[in-house]
Amino acid sequence: MAIHKRYALGRGLDALISTEDVRPQGSSTINEIPLEQIEANPNQPRREFDEESLQELATSIREIGIIQPITLRQVADQRYQIIAGERRWRASQLAGLTAIPAYIRTIKDENVMEMALVENIQREDLNAIEIALAYEHLLANTGMTQEKVSERVGKSRTAIANYLRLLKLPAQVQMALQNKEIDMGHARALLSIDSPSLQIKLFKEIQRNNYSVRKVEELVKQLKNGEEITSGKKRISGASQMPEEFTALRQRLSDFFSTKVQMTCSAKGKGKISIPFANEEELEHIMSVLDKMKE
């Protein structure tokens, strides 16, 4: 089925579909939905929620916001039912929020939507989150593999994987990307940080200082090395990016070589050590220390 009429873009994937049979009543992108318009799924197998755990999550939400959007389906005009994320919904109520970021799933005719997505996904004026959600939809609802999607839309598997990774970013970062307040370069730099709370802290600094992508990449590198960065009056520490024992080891090496040793390390213990030097004298000192170790 061909798409005959070109619709205005930027209003979600539902604005891209022009068929007589399918007229989705919502959006396939991320939106802020009032909590009062959301209801729990009566078929949800989970019936009990630990109150202490909910309070802890509510405290986290008050401090840094919702990390991952919930997923809803539209069941009536301005009424939505939870597909995934009831715990986040309940904790948001405890936190005093009035609205919550959510993905809306309202597609009924999967075959028509697949055809529309494949045709429209290549349009340059779709935002990155719309594209990411379109890829996710194709993978989750059509049985297509990343390789098959790659063939259908004419994009590399790497490009598709990079878009899908955007959906792992905190909700407020996704919304900023959707609204083009940041670009893909900023988002990809943030993705290399494992901690969502650290991602949000750096994201707020990007907004506050209008940092370039290159500047963010430099800051991310510092944080991953376990260093502390200063932005205005704020200090952000990346020490939590490394296990405590590796942070101590980095300090021992720095003391041993009398220079600031840099180290990156994942929770699984994989990483690298680098020993920077500012001039030839510092290099000679480092080499002399290494030579003594051979003796």
Side-chain angles (χ1 to χ4, degrees):
M1 184 180 295
I3 296 178
H4 302 291
K5 186 176 180 181
R6 186 180 182 89
Y7 271 61
L9 301 178
R11 294 184 286 117
L13 291 174
D14 56 314
L16 305 179
I17 312 305
S18 174
T19 70
E20 294 299 322
D21 300 320
V22 179
R23 297 191 180 278
Q25 301 298 311
S27 171
S28 294
T29 189
I30 186 172
N31 290 280
E32 287 276 355
I33 303 298
L35 290 176
E36 62 183 18
Q37 296 180 9
I38 301 171
E39 61 186 42
N41 186 340
N43 297 318
Q44 156 73 274
R46 186 177 185 179
R47 298 298 180 185
E48 296 183 3
F49 295 84
D50 182 74
E51 286 298 323
E52 184 178 349
S53 177
L54 278 178
Q55 287 291 349
E56 290 176 356
L57 180 56
T59 299
S60 173
I61 289 172
R62 273 192 292 266
E63 291 178 356
I64 63 175
I66 296 289
I67 296 297
Q68 181 64 29
I70 68 173
T71 304
L72 307 173
R73 70 184 184 96
Q74 190 165 13
V75 293
D77 185 35
Q78 296 187 336
R79 295 301 302 171
Y80 302 88
Q81 190 176 86
I82 296 173
I83 295 175
E86 183 172 343
R87 185 167 172 269
R88 276 164 281 162
W89 172 63
R90 290 175 178 269
S92 295
Q93 292 174 311
L94 293 175
L97 299 189
T98 58
I100 188 172
Y103 300 127
I104 312 300
R105 304 299 192 206
T106 56
I107 311 312
K108 295 180 180 179
D109 189 329
E110 301 296 340
N111 293 328
V112 174
M113 177 53 73
E114 176 189 342
M115 295 171 65
L117 290 180
V118 170
E119 180 169 336
N120 287 287
I121 205 168
Q122 298 173 341
R123 293 185 177 180
E124 294 180 359
D125 39 7
L126 280 179
N127 67 63
I129 295 299
E130 285 177 322
I131 294 174
L133 286 168
Y135 286 143
E136 183 189 55
H137 178 91
L138 289 174
L139 291 168
N141 297 286
T142 66
M144 296 172 68
T145 63
Q146 283 194 22
E147 186 174 355
K148 185 65 176 178
V149 172
S150 172
E151 295 173 359
R152 292 291 297 273
V153 301
K155 302 288 184 179
S156 69
R157 270 186 81 177
T158 300
I160 292 170
N162 285 335
Y163 273 107
L164 290 170
R165 289 178 66 221
L166 298 177
L167 300 180
K168 297 180 180 180
L169 286 167
Q172 54 190 287
V173 180
Q174 290 189 43
M175 296 187 76
L177 185 58
Q178 174 179 278
N179 296 330
K180 299 184 179 179
E181 296 169 12
I182 60 173
D183 60 30
M184 279 281 287
H186 293 107
R188 291 180 68 176
L190 290 174
L191 277 167
S192 63
I193 301 175
D194 294 330
S195 166
S197 61
L198 200 54
Q199 288 175 337
I200 289 174
K201 288 179 182 178
L202 187 53
F203 162 68
K204 289 180 177 178
E205 292 307 301
I206 295 172
Q207 286 189 312
R208 184 177 293 111
N209 299 290
N210 195 29
Y211 284 145
S212 67
V213 172
R214 184 171 181 178
K215 175 65 174 178
V216 175
E217 290 172 343
E218 292 173 358
L219 294 176
V220 166
K221 184 176 181 180
Q222 289 178 254
L223 290 171
K224 292 183 70 175
N225 285 336
E227 300 176 24
E228 185 177 80
I229 63 174
T230 302
S231 178
K233 295 182 180 180
K234 284 185 172 280
R235 290 185 177 181
I236 302 174
S237 174
S240 60
Q241 285 287 289
M242 288 199 304
E244 186 176 344
E245 59 270 28
F246 289 99
T247 302
L249 175 59
R250 186 193 62 202
Q251 186 58 52
R252 287 179 58 190
L253 290 171
S254 295
D255 294 341
F256 184 75
F257 288 105
S258 299
T259 188
K260 196 170 185 179
V261 171
Q262 296 177 350
M263 177 186 291
T264 59
C265 184
S266 68
K268 296 181 179 180
K270 182 179 180 180
K272 66 179 180 180
I273 296 172
S274 60
I275 309 174
F277 53 89
N279 50 50
E280 189 173 339
E281 290 181 1
E282 287 190 7
L283 175 60
E284 289 178 353
H285 169 72
I286 293 169
M287 295 305 298
S288 68
V289 173
L290 291 171
D291 287 341
K292 288 179 182 179
M293 293 174 64
K294 297 179 181 179
E295 298 175 358

